[in-house]
Amino acid sequence: MSPSSLLLLLLAVEPARATLIRVPLRRIYTGPRTLNPLRGWGKPAKPLRLGAPSPGDKSVFVPLSDYMNAQYYGEIGLGTPPQNFSVVFDTGSSNLWVPSVRCHFFSLPCWLHRRFNPKASSSFRPNGTKFAIQYGTGRLDGILSEDKLTIGGITGASVVFGEALWEPSLTFTIARFDGILGLGFPTLAVDGVRPPLDILVDQGLLDKPVFSFYLNRDLEMADGGELVLGGSDPAHYIPPLTFVPVTIPAYWQIHMERVKVGTGLTLCAQGCAAILDTGTSLITGPTEEIRALHVAIGGIPLLAGEYLIQCSQIPTLPPVSFLLGGVWFNLTAQDYVIQIARGGVRLCLSGFQALDVPPPAGPLWILGDVFLGSYVAVFDRGDMKGAARVGLARARPRGA
């Protein structure tokens, strides 16, 4: 087969009639001073729970999201006419929520963000069930409601979402986003609420429960990339996609075979669990392994598991490679070092952070935006014929 024929075959993987919903993403760099207040997202108040909540349990723990030094978010609408909100599209949770005009008077985040007004929507349907999500930095409490969702120009999907009434966390106060739209599996959803992605498929607005992220990590550009619902755009990546099966369908968890630092250090030597999480900025791993990694690349330890890198050393640093699905995915120092220029001062932060996730879910690695900015991820929930999987391919350079 000729190279041109092979390329045409690869580009034809997505059906021509597939409905693709494109949501532009924006990225805000929040600066190093906000790192510590947000650290609680990576510190579970209780051990991680995977699996359906027990009967009568109206809360679910979502400790993996870490909106740290960059926030990727996009616009959605709720109600008729649509009330617009900025939401983080988070593969580490499965509920949609936004602040409510009915929120508690002392809930500061409500006053700093857009709020949903049920009286301004002709399609609003009350539900009234109370819900709560426990984050590392505090609880999010509210009530469930039902209304129409507008996303990427598609309208008419009737979804159950949370109206946040009480947000005691500093995380939400300083966040540039209003709420969160979860793209995890139904198992993680509070109160068994059907996730928005499932609703779009159920109502025929999406051909299949597949979505993909194309993230732009250039801090000088406001363009944050694109979320594609219903499939993927081959223009975003260099084919072919390498598919890796999901091992536990709650978070997007896969098996990672090995991690190598240059040619001299092997981590995750016996294989380990990894989670692909768009809500996590960095790549995290067990403390001892991340410490060994930074010894190899000359990282200088800071607080909360973070490390500094000498900017002048970037050209000499070794690649860090991840073996997934039998294929090596390499990150160069340009990929894994976050370079920040402020007021003529250049600061270089390591894209690797120590984070110990306790059993039974841990120990595990979290492949966040440092990884997902270099490799496009296609999240495929599967169907009756096939199990869930994640496809990975090198992202095309911007403007290519």
Side-chain angles (χ1 to χ4, degrees), residues 206-266:
L206 278 185
D207 292 335
K208 51 189 177 180
V210 179
F211 59 94
S212 57
F213 280 90
Y214 179 48
L215 302 182
N216 176 19
R217 293 187 59 242
D218 185 345
L219 298 179
E220 302 302 317
M221 298 179 65
D223 170 27
E226 188 173 57
L227 163 65
V228 178
L229 297 173
S232 63
D233 184 350
H236 286 165
Y237 57 84
I238 301 171
L241 289 164
T242 297
F243 284 97
V244 185
V246 170
T247 53
I248 299 179
Y251 304 104
W252 288 88
Q253 182 168 330
I254 60 176
H255 177 71
M256 185 158 65
E257 291 132 87
R258 251 186 345 275
V259 178
K260 289 180 64 177
V261 183
T263 58
L265 176 63
T266 298

Side-chain angles (χ1 to χ4, degrees), residues 217-347:
R217 293 187 59 242
D218 185 345
L219 298 179
E220 302 302 317
M221 298 179 65
D223 170 27
E226 188 173 57
L227 163 65
V228 178
L229 297 173
S232 63
D233 184 350
H236 286 165
Y237 57 84
I238 301 171
L241 289 164
T242 297
F243 284 97
V244 185
V246 170
T247 53
I248 299 179
Y251 304 104
W252 288 88
Q253 182 168 330
I254 60 176
H255 177 71
M256 185 158 65
E257 291 132 87
R258 251 186 345 275
V259 178
K260 289 180 64 177
V261 183
T263 58
L265 176 63
T266 298
L267 306 172
C268 175
Q270 306 302 317
C272 54
I275 288 174
L276 292 137
D277 186 10
T278 57
T280 295
S281 295
L282 306 185
I283 297 172
T284 78
T287 297
E288 292 305 315
E289 296 202 285
I290 294 297
R291 182 179 293 127
L293 182 151
H294 283 107
V295 169
I297 66 174
I300 304 167
L302 297 173
L303 297 175
E306 290 179 346
Y307 288 78
L308 271 179
I309 299 292
Q310 287 185 304
C311 298
S312 61
Q313 296 300 309
I314 290 176
T316 66
L317 295 182
V320 178
S321 305
F322 304 82
L323 186 58
L324 303 166
V327 175
W328 285 104
F329 293 86
N330 304 315
L331 296 181
T332 67
Q334 292 291 338
D335 297 324
Y336 67 72
V337 176
I338 300 168
Q339 302 183 53
I340 306 153
R342 287 292 183 273
V345 177
R346 187 167 164 233
L347 181 68

